[in-house]
Amino acid sequence: MGRNGPPLVQGTLLERCELLLSLDVGSRASHEARMLETLGVREKQRKREAKARLKEANLDYSKSLSATREDTKTENDVSDLLRSGVGYDKELAEDPFAETLRVITEKSLGESLGGSALYERLRGCSPWRKVEMIHGDGLPGVAWFHPLTCEESFMRPWDYEDIALERGGADPFAGLESCAMEDILEKLDLVIRGAPDDDPPVEPKTPLIVDTSEDKKMATFFRYKGVVMDLSPVGWSRKVQSDNKVSVAKVMEEARRITVVCMRHGKTLCIDLGLMGQNCMLKDVLCKETGLNRKVFEEGGKKLIAGKPTPFCKKMWKPKDLVNGQIVIDPEFRVVLLTAHPP
């Protein structure tokens, strides 16, 4: 394609899938860009071919293509030639882009050991892109393309999110750092650990993840990868709290208990703030040393389990929380914050 980048992934579909999953963030982004560039070149070629075939067949798109049996046959032949994805097998051998844009589907990996799980992981590493492609009628139109699996769809995929990644689109992240869900745990470690030896040094921080999806994808993710603490009711108005019989004191006590359990077992604690705003005064008013210590929000929770000779979290522990009368803390404990506020 005349553009520098990582080598195109070869081998069986299973090997291709495993290699794509092993790429670091930068290499994966370069691979995605290359797939999109290849798709663009292919579609330009198909557009030229479509025009030539339509001119040769003398098809007039101002009239119905189904006027005669001959017209119908011509229309079907053109559609078969231009159609991509499923049903396009007879052209794959002659398609110069087929090897580069090899399609990975759950069905194609299903018979392989762990193939279905690999497919789901790969799909989750990158979002669908809205692109322009030649449809079966030989005319350009909107379609969707997945840059890792190379799947194509002329219907909006159920898991497509309009994140304006098309060229010229607005930055959907408003300048905030972003990463694929597959890399999020690694990114959390970097943020919490910081880089004190760098020049200039990078201070440890508590990650704040913005998730505005209606089905709360990140909360679901952390239910599998850790423990989710829902503090969003604390930010509700008093009327809403009253209507839903929410006791702030009980919510905060439950938050203390969950935090202690996570400290004891070295779990990742995801604190879901929902749409809570600054007017809630959570950290300054509701957090107490004998309840949810405010240091839980510092340095990804590491500040909470620090301190000598006793940790800052000591007063959070009640007699029933102790293990053989001792405070037991697993150093793998960490905290991430989740908000539904748009960036």
Side-chain angles (χ1 to χ4, degrees):
M1 297 300 132
R3 171 172 164 172
N4 293 328
L8 297 177
V9 182
Q10 305 293 337
T12 67
L13 285 178
L14 185 61
E15 291 170 341
R16 182 185 181 99
C17 188
E18 291 174 337
L19 184 52
L20 286 171
L21 286 170
S22 71
L23 296 177
D24 59 33
V25 177
S27 297
R28 189 179 296 154
S30 297
H31 176 80
E32 291 179 12
R34 192 163 192 167
M35 294 302 98
L36 288 165
E37 182 185 50
T38 303
L39 179 74
V41 173
R42 188 196 73 179
E43 290 307 304
K44 286 181 180 178
Q45 177 174 313
R46 287 186 172 181
K47 191 173 184 179
R48 290 192 298 267
E49 293 173 351
K51 287 183 177 180
R53 285 185 173 272
L54 294 177
K55 183 178 181 180
E56 180 181 350
N58 195 24
L59 297 178
D60 184 0
Y61 274 87
S62 66
K63 300 178 181 179
S64 169
L65 290 177
S66 302
T68 67
R69 181 179 299 178
E70 183 181 354
D71 287 338
T72 300
K73 182 180 184 304
T74 303
E75 177 185 5
N76 291 336
D77 290 342
V78 173
S79 296
D80 286 341
L81 179 62
L82 298 174
R83 188 177 295 113
S84 60
V86 179
Y88 192 63
D89 294 342
K90 68 178 182 179
E91 294 297 329
L92 288 181
E94 301 175 5
D95 186 355
F97 304 97
E99 181 60 26
T100 302
L101 299 174
R102 291 177 69 189
V103 180
I104 300 175
T105 65
E106 186 173 16
K107 183 177 180 180
S108 66
L109 294 175
E111 297 180 359
S112 304
L113 182 62
S116 181
L118 287 174
Y119 168 78
E120 292 296 336
R121 286 177 59 198
L122 191 62
R123 274 283 295 271
C125 286
S126 181
W128 289 88
R129 305 296 206 274
K130 186 188 291 186
V131 296
E132 182 181 277
M133 291 176 58
I134 299 298
H135 286 222
D137 56 7
L139 297 176
V142 173
W144 288 265
F145 176 76
H146 196 283
L148 291 181
T149 66
C150 292
E151 293 171 285
E152 303 167 10
S153 175
F154 292 128
M155 297 182 65
R156 181 187 175 112
W158 68 269
D159 54 347
Y160 170 77
E161 290 185 5
D162 188 2
I163 55 175
L165 284 178
E166 296 85 353
R167 183 171 295 182
D171 179 8
F173 307 113
L176 299 178
E177 190 171 356
S178 64
C179 71
M181 189 174 290
E182 181 72 16
D183 304 305
I184 198 164
L185 294 178
E186 179 183 351
K187 180 64 69 173
L188 293 181
D189 284 334
L190 294 175
V191 174
I192 294 172
R193 185 168 62 246
D197 297 329
D198 284 5
D199 186 20
V202 179
E203 297 296 325
K205 297 181 177 67
T206 300
L208 174 63
I209 299 177
V210 178
D211 180 13
T212 58
S213 61
E214 294 183 2
D215 54 352
K216 305 190 72 171
K217 289 182 174 60
M218 292 311 305
T220 302
F221 175 84
F222 281 106
R223 285 191 184 95
Y224 286 97
K225 299 296 183 179
V227 176
V228 177
M229 176 203 297
D230 185 9
L231 279 185
S232 58
V234 175
W236 296 350
S237 68
R238 290 189 177 181
K239 183 180 185 309
V240 175
Q241 288 175 347
S242 176
D243 291 344
N244 289 272
K245 298 180 180 181
V246 172
S247 168
V248 174
K250 289 183 178 180
V251 173
M252 295 305 294
E253 168 56 23
E254 180 66 5
R256 181 207 67 79
R257 186 193 68 79
I258 292 175
T259 303
V260 168
V261 171
C262 289
M263 285 190 287
R264 196 165 60 211
H265 297 284
K267 298 287 188 178
T268 297
L269 174 61
C270 174
I271 301 179
D272 187 355
L273 302 175
L275 291 171
M276 187 185 302
Q278 293 181 343
N279 59 331
C280 179
M281 306 291 285
L282 171 66
K283 184 177 178 181
D284 296 329
V285 176
L286 298 178
C287 289
K288 305 180 185 298
E289 287 189 354
T290 55
L292 184 65
N293 193 307
R294 69 185 61 183
K295 290 189 182 295
V296 73
F297 298 104
E298 301 178 23
E299 299 180 10
K302 299 297 185 181
K303 195 76 170 179
L304 183 64
I305 60 178
K308 294 182 179 180
T310 57
F312 291 115
C313 64
K314 178 182 179 181
K315 294 183 179 180
M316 289 181 61
W317 293 68
K318 294 185 177 182
K320 61 182 179 181
D321 300 319
L322 301 176
V323 179
N324 297 325
Q326 300 287 326
I327 293 177
V328 176
I329 298 176
D330 189 317
E332 293 298 312
F333 168 73
R334 59 183 177 179
V335 173
V336 57
L337 305 180
L338 186 62
T339 179
H341 275 294

